[in-house]
Amino acid sequence: QTSIRKQLLELFSKADGGFLSGQMISEKLGCSRTAVWKHIEDLRKEGYELEAVRRLGYRIAQKPDKVTANEIHLGLETEYIGRHIHFQETVDSTQKIAARLGYEGAPEGTVVVAEEQTAGRGRLNRQWYSPSGTGIWMSILLRPNIPVHQAPQLTLLAAVSVAQAIEEIGITVGIKWPNDILIGGKKAVGILTELQADPDRIHAVIVGIGINVNQQSYHFASEIENIATSLCIETGTHVNRATLMQRIFANMEKLYKEYLQNGFTVIKVLWESYAISIGKEIKARTMHETLIGTAIGITDDGVLILEEKNGSIHYIHSADIEI
Ligand code: BT5
């Protein structure tokens, strides 16, 4: 039963929003027209909006707002990112599961995604709020053959692919080094990159991405209600999460291929086009000190360059930035 469902969704995926006749479906699936009708009804019960037109057949007008493998595969345009989806309704943290899959040899492009995280985390073990059904909480596993010190570039690459996907739905975004995507000064996306590596070789990079998608402001915990926003708040409309994930995967795969082939140059230029801290006076809080100065750019490794008033230059690998 589930495999027929899968085949049916694959047919619709190939039709790319177009109509499939009942006759054609019944032939391809090897079942009766009545059985096709029953499967279509089942899809409707799951939240798919199916348009039925005489002589033309059926068309998926809207898929349910779920982030299960079926919804993500329906219409996915990539070669490997998102081809292996590990979905669970509730997890502690998708990073933890992706880390385990990383050690177990999961292929590049594997994505772990959940409707809810009970222990989502940011950098330095800070909490990442991940309420059920409202956001995209996912971890993407990559296995790039690059030197360890270049791994931070992948955080910036991921940020660009998410920024592009959000722009495609008509929202202007800015990136705050290294990992925040802001809309109108408020945080909509956080990215956390973790490594599985020996000193001289990367085994896996796990890019964790948290996106506030369909929260209303009253959904936010009081700790973040003044600093956080969601795509729904910004657009005024509900945003389909699986479709957004597909756009992120497509953008990311394109940039990642470019990156592996030609290096960081193109990604850096794109990243800089979104950067909101560069050229500005910032306060950078690192583990050891707080520096105030002008953010004059990023290095080819993705490290932030800060110039103090007295002219001294600092290379910042990790910090919280205030603009
Ligand atoms: C981050 O850390 O911004 C990285 C967040 C990465 C989350 C993803 S979700 C999928 C994957 N699985 C995980 O467990 N994590 C990754 P950082 O720069 O340290 O920012 C954390 C701070 O952002 C917190 O201290 C809060 O102030 C704020 N924050 C927490 N939840 C938020 C939310 N939903 N929206 C906006 N801001 C939030």
Side-chain angles (χ1 to χ4, degrees):
Q1 197 74 353
T2 49
S3 92
I4 291 208
R5 164 79 44 86
K6 215 167 166 191
Q7 287 175 43
L8 180 58
L9 285 170
E10 254 159 42
L11 287 180
F12 277 117
S13 178
K14 288 204 190 96
D16 201 16
F19 283 95
L20 294 178
S21 73
Q23 180 66 34
M24 186 263 202
I25 298 173
S26 83
E27 274 166 22
K28 292 263 180 189
L29 300 187
C31 61
S32 69
R33 295 287 293 272
T34 321
V36 169
W37 180 80
K38 212 187 148 303
H39 286 299
I40 296 279
E41 282 312 300
D42 283 348
L43 285 180
R44 285 201 170 113
K45 278 186 205 133
E46 271 180 37
Y48 285 85
E49 256 177 57
L50 281 135
E51 198 183 339
V53 175
R54 270 190 59 200
R55 293 207 182 81
L56 285 176
Y58 302 98
R59 181 179 92 79
I60 292 189
Q62 178 75 55
K63 49 190 181 188
D65 187 30
K66 281 263 157 197
V67 289
T68 62
N70 276 343
E71 276 68 63
I72 294 161
H73 284 150
L74 183 68
L76 182 66
E77 287 168 2
T78 59
E79 203 181 300
Y80 50 89
I81 298 185
R83 286 287 154 197
H84 291 85
I85 299 280
H86 182 104
F87 168 80
Q88 259 170 264
E89 192 70 32
T90 299
V91 300
D92 45 4
S93 160
T94 58
Q95 287 297 95
K96 246 169 106 177
I97 296 170
R100 196 192 71 222
L101 295 178
Y103 287 122
E104 288 171 1
E108 179 160 71
T110 296
V111 171
V112 178
V113 58
E115 291 286 353
E116 175 189 39
Q117 295 187 117
T118 53
R121 30 188 190 86
R123 294 176 300 155
L124 306 170
N125 265 321
R126 284 184 286 225
Q127 184 181 5
W128 181 260
Y129 291 98
S130 321
S132 178
T134 57
I136 295 173
W137 326 123
M138 67 172 170
S139 301
I140 303 171
L141 185 101
L142 297 174
R143 297 191 183 277
N145 184 10
I146 57 168
V148 176
H149 70 93
Q150 282 175 5
Q153 295 172 337
L154 291 166
T155 301
L156 308 190
L157 187 152
V160 171
S161 38
V162 176
Q164 290 175 332
I166 296 177
E167 275 205 342
E168 286 163 12
I169 58 171
I171 306 176
T172 306
V173 299
I175 304 178
K176 192 175 92 173
W177 185 89
N179 69 337
D180 292 353
I181 297 185
L182 307 185
I183 306 173
K186 291 185 168 178
K187 182 159 169 172
V189 180
I191 299 174
L192 171 72
T193 306
E194 294 179 309
L195 280 190
Q196 294 178 350
D198 295 333
D200 60 341
R201 202 170 82 85
I202 290 179
H203 299 289
V205 178
I206 295 160
V207 184
I209 304 178
I211 309 176
N212 298 326
V213 183
N214 288 319
Q215 289 101 323
Q216 297 296 341
S217 28
Y218 60 78
H219 281 124
F220 289 122
S222 58
E223 193 204 321
I224 58 166
E225 66 185 347
N226 294 320
I227 57 165
T229 188
S230 76
L231 306 186
C232 177
I233 292 170
E234 300 299 328
T235 55
T237 58
H238 190 271
V239 174
N240 186 282
R241 291 173 297 153
T243 309
L244 186 66
M245 287 173 74
Q246 291 175 342
R247 290 308 311 150
I248 294 168
F249 296 161
N251 296 338
M252 186 180 289
E253 191 171 285
K254 197 164 159 224
L255 295 174
Y256 184 60
K257 283 180 177 167
E258 157 70 32
Y259 171 78
L260 292 180
Q261 203 158 39
N262 303 316
F264 189 54
T265 319
V266 169
I267 317 303
K268 183 168 183 261
V269 172
L270 286 170
W271 187 87
E272 284 165 340
S273 74
Y274 289 107
I276 50 177
S277 35
I278 305 303
K280 294 212 178 104
E281 185 80 2
I282 62 163
K283 191 194 265 184
R285 225 173 296 120
T286 71
M287 294 277 253
H288 327 281
E289 57 187 342
T290 298
L291 294 162
I292 296 177
T294 309
I296 57 176
I298 55 169
T299 68
D300 287 340
D301 284 346
V303 173
L304 184 68
I305 315 169
L306 181 141
E307 183 179 359
E308 281 187 296
K309 270 230 166 62
N310 65 15
S312 60
I313 300 283
H314 297 262
Y315 293 92
I316 297 179
H317 292 260
S318 169
D320 283 313
I321 305 296
E322 259 176 58
I323 304 172

